[in-house]
Amino acid sequence: MKLIRNIKGIVAFSRQARLKGKSIGFVPTMGALHMGHLSLIKKSKKENDITIVSIFVNPIQFASGEDLKRYPRDLKNDALLCRKSGVDAIFCPQVKSFYPQGYKTYVQVEGLSDHLCGRFRPGHFRGVTTVVAKLFNLVSPDTAYFGQKDAQQALIIQKMAEDLNMPVKIRVLPTVRHKDGLAMSSRNAYLTKEERRDARVLYQALSCARALVRQGKKNVAQIIQQVKSIINKKKSARIQYVLFVDTQDLEPISRIKSPVLLALSVYIGKTRLIDNIVI
Ligand code: AMP
């Protein structure tokens, strides 16, 4: 497995693979890898000759006051996991060379970026689409793999790739959860023992909503009220949003239809967690 830190290196590696006629699967991450990331890597391995993983805590997707500085970083363990999973190359650029002084170009998907998390994290998705567009240019993947855990991000990236005619197929894979339902996330590492217990409530609340919809309940406001009341029972929980939205344009809906995306963002203590299900 190659550990590539510079731009020239990743371009050369990808070009070599292409010259040999190999297909490239790409998994962009911010590191602190867990089973969610590994599920994407596994699928990429299955579907491509070469798998490249990027590990880059992208500063421009964090607003000031967010957790950029303390975001978990553990390249040694990440490299170990990647090697075990049969990854061919890790690309982990330095911020200075990725965004050199005078950097001025940004990619923004309008509309989709304004809903859900976009309302509370202005500039976040502009940072995400910019980094992913740059990574796509460097890696030239045939297929790139994303998690449904970040449903809005996945939709935005699909739209970007489509609108900008990027020659890459976007695959979105299911959310990997702990046994108790909590979606795996690098940010779970911030939780205290007690908070970790409370965090189970996110998936419990989502599951309750799914049951209500399946029973035929159609009133969005009532279901959201139920979800909120389940979450609010936990002392450490503070809801940012709970919304039913259209699975394609992310516009809020007022009556349940199928399929529908139920997405939520909740602070557990100081840790902001997101989760969603498609019903
Ligand atoms: P991150 O390192 O958090 O930026 O995530 C990198 C990729 O892994 C993104 O496409 C995420 O959606 C995906 N991912 C993160 N957590 C999970 C999970 N629990 N299940 C599936 N995919 C995930």
Side-chain angles (χ1 to χ4, degrees):
M1 185 181 74
K2 284 214 156 156
L3 189 68
I4 301 171
R5 291 179 182 274
N6 59 51
I7 306 265
K8 271 191 190 155
I10 188 65
V11 172
F13 183 87
S14 155
R15 191 173 292 149
Q16 274 294 319
R18 308 211 136 265
L19 280 174
K20 289 184 195 147
K22 306 226 187 245
S23 63
I24 299 177
F26 178 44
V27 182
T29 81
M30 297 209 297
L33 302 182
H34 50 65
M35 299 292 286
H37 298 115
L38 297 185
S39 73
L40 307 182
I41 291 171
K42 198 167 161 196
K43 186 64 102 185
S44 170
K45 288 275 304 166
K46 201 166 153 201
E47 296 182 346
N48 302 275
D49 300 319
I50 297 274
T51 290
I52 300 176
V53 173
S54 66
I55 296 180
F56 182 58
V57 183
N58 175 37
I60 68 165
Q61 72 186 65
F62 289 79
S64 69
E66 289 187 347
D67 56 343
L68 171 62
K69 272 209 184 118
R70 70 181 198 117
Y71 194 85
R73 292 163 170 88
D74 189 354
L75 185 57
K76 212 168 148 192
N77 191 51
D78 289 348
L80 210 70
L81 289 173
C82 284
R83 190 182 305 245
K84 270 196 201 153
S85 310
V87 169
D88 297 278
I90 297 180
F91 176 47
C92 49
Q94 284 184 327
V95 174
K96 273 187 297 194
S97 55
F98 203 82
Y99 298 116
Q101 233 188 353
Y103 187 86
K104 289 285 180 219
T105 306
Y106 298 87
V107 178
Q108 182 152 15
V109 173
E110 294 179 0
L112 285 177
S113 302
D114 302 328
H115 297 294
L116 302 175
C117 294
R119 274 190 52 213
F120 300 94
R121 302 186 72 187
H124 168 68
F125 288 115
R126 174 181 184 257
V128 170
T129 36
T130 299
V131 74
V132 173
K134 277 171 70 72
L135 289 168
F136 282 0
N137 279 337
L138 295 170
V139 173
S140 308
D142 295 279
T143 309
Y145 297 81
F146 294 87
Q148 176 68 16
K149 156 80 172 31
D150 301 283
Q152 183 174 17
Q153 169 176 284
L155 271 177
I156 289 171
I157 283 161
Q158 279 173 322
K159 185 74 180 132
M160 170 185 79
E162 185 191 325
D163 284 357
L164 295 182
N165 308 105
M166 293 173 162
V168 55
K169 198 166 121 197
I170 307 296
R171 297 267 272 125
V172 183
L173 301 183
T175 302
V176 176
R177 299 180 179 280
H178 289 280
K179 273 207 186 112
D180 62 8
L182 178 65
M184 295 206 179
S185 161
S186 306
R187 287 190 169 99
N188 292 348
Y190 297 150
L191 301 170
T192 65
K193 219 168 154 192
E194 220 163 273
E195 289 170 350
R196 171 65 186 78
R197 232 175 292 136
D198 286 355
R200 293 179 300 187
V201 79
L202 271 71
Y203 189 61
Q204 286 164 359
L206 289 172
S207 304
C208 168
R210 173 162 44 209
L212 291 172
V213 171
R214 285 188 178 157
Q215 283 163 25
K217 297 268 188 304
K218 292 259 186 268
N219 188 318
V220 165
Q222 269 174 17
I223 301 171
I224 287 180
Q225 204 41 53
Q226 286 246 31
V227 168
K228 286 185 172 173
S229 79
I230 292 171
I231 295 170
N232 283 331
K233 284 196 182 108
K234 301 290 173 198
K235 248 210 239 139
S236 65
R238 184 164 53 84
I239 295 170
Q240 189 169 59
Y241 67 75
V242 177
L243 286 166
F244 278 100
V245 297
D246 182 271
T247 54
Q248 293 309 304
D249 63 19
L250 301 181
E251 293 283 350
I253 55 148
S254 53
R255 268 192 87 67
I256 296 292
K257 57 176 181 174
S258 177
V260 67
L261 179 72
L262 172 58
L264 49 75
S265 161
V266 177
Y267 278 93
I268 299 289
K270 285 188 175 143
T271 305
R272 181 178 178 277
L273 299 178
I274 58 170
D275 201 350
N276 69 82
I277 52 171
V278 174
I279 306 174

